[in-house]
Amino acid sequence: MDEILQLMDEEAGPWLDQQLPPLHVVLGDSVARVSGLGSRREEDATINLARGGATWSSLNDDLLEVVADWRRDAEEAGRRLGSAIVWMTGNDIYSRLTGLPSASDKTLLRMSGNATEVTDALLGIAEAVIVLGPVARLDGEILPVQWEDTAAYAAERHLKHTLPREVHFVPVGRQLTKKLWKRAHCVSDCRQWYELDQIHISPEGFRKMAAAEGLPSWIRFRDGA
């Protein structure tokens, strides 16, 4: 009888935890921090732990601290750990000093290596891991430029082919392009979807992001987009 009761107790804990509403987490850079990323579902909650200037490398270094903060907030709110949404929009591939692209093979390999370590770790903790793709920085590119020739596209391809297959990867950068000669291009007119610094995204830009193919239907951006 004691053995039966012990087995039931061991199974009851995880089952009860799954009945708690989820607390999702947003990780990433300053664009992710102001993105308003969250859930459309009323029972869900989201905390945003994105940090200005963050890269995949810095997130890899800080991941234990970040996860500890997420766990603490979930426990205090009586919630379980939900999904992790990670959005690094370009600090890995555009120079913070000059704004110019720096997407060398070495840079891309370092970025994808750190991204793989981060997402591998999160897969063991979160219900799901969703990674949004990088976005072109218009002041760092010579316009007009075909989307496939941008540093953001090079990083997107690297991430798509190196992240663990369990990661849900959503390419969102193409949303802020325009069609020229039947191909996606970054042109001067795309500036309307960015703030004045041409790095952060405007409300109109976030609304376009919300229509990205493959974005889970429960995820929303700021202002309800």
Side-chain angles (χ1 to χ4, degrees):
M1 180 66 71
D2 289 341
E3 290 181 2
I4 294 174
L5 288 174
Q6 185 176 4
L7 177 62
M8 290 176 64
D9 288 343
E10 288 175 356
E11 293 178 347
W15 182 87
L16 287 171
D17 287 344
Q18 286 304 112
Q19 310 315 304
L20 298 173
L23 178 66
H24 307 300
V25 67
V26 175
L27 307 173
D29 54 27
S30 58
V31 177
R33 187 179 61 197
V34 300
S35 64
L37 277 165
S39 176
R40 300 181 189 278
R41 298 187 290 236
E42 291 185 3
E43 68 272 18
D44 294 4
T46 306
I47 59 167
N48 193 314
L49 299 179
R51 300 175 176 177
T55 62
W56 282 107
S57 176
S58 68
L59 179 56
N60 198 11
D61 291 340
D62 299 339
L63 192 59
L64 288 177
E65 175 190 342
V66 168
V67 168
D69 289 344
W70 183 21
R71 285 189 187 279
R72 185 193 64 245
D73 282 15
E75 290 173 2
E76 290 178 353
R79 292 177 174 271
R80 71 179 193 271
L81 299 184
S83 296
I85 306 170
V86 190
W87 195 15
M88 296 293 179
T89 60
N91 291 327
D92 295 271
I93 50 168
Y94 290 95
S95 169
R96 294 176 64 184
L97 295 177
T98 66
L100 297 175
S102 55
S104 65
D105 289 343
K106 182 178 180 180
T107 298
L108 292 170
L109 285 171
R110 183 170 60 247
M111 176 201 69
S112 56
N114 280 301
T116 297
E117 288 188 32
V118 167
T119 52
D120 263 336
L122 289 173
L123 284 167
I125 301 166
E127 291 184 341
V129 178
I130 300 145
V131 174
L132 306 188
V135 179
R137 295 187 175 176
L138 301 189
D139 283 355
E141 304 284 352
I142 300 175
L143 305 183
V145 60
Q146 190 169 300
W147 165 243
E148 285 80 3
D149 292 330
T150 65
Y153 177 80
E156 177 189 282
R157 293 300 93 186
H158 251 262
L159 290 170
K160 182 175 181 180
H161 294 297
T162 58
L163 289 175
R165 62 182 180 179
E166 297 87 355
V167 171
H168 186 102
F169 181 70
V170 187
V172 295
R174 187 183 294 265
Q175 293 301 113
L176 304 188
T177 64
K178 287 206 165 186
K179 284 286 185 71
L180 290 179
W181 311 292
K182 298 183 179 180
R183 303 298 294 271
H185 283 71
C186 295
V187 297
S188 295
D189 197 32
C190 294
R191 296 182 187 278
Q192 64 183 300
W193 298 316
Y194 293 78
E195 300 291 1
L196 292 177
D197 61 9
Q198 301 303 296
I199 296 174
H200 294 88
I201 297 169
S202 69
E204 293 79 7
F206 282 122
R207 280 191 281 274
K208 286 186 65 67
M209 288 286 181
E213 184 178 353
L215 188 73
S217 59
W218 61 269
I219 289 180
R220 60 155 174 79
F221 286 89
R222 59 183 288 187
D223 303 324

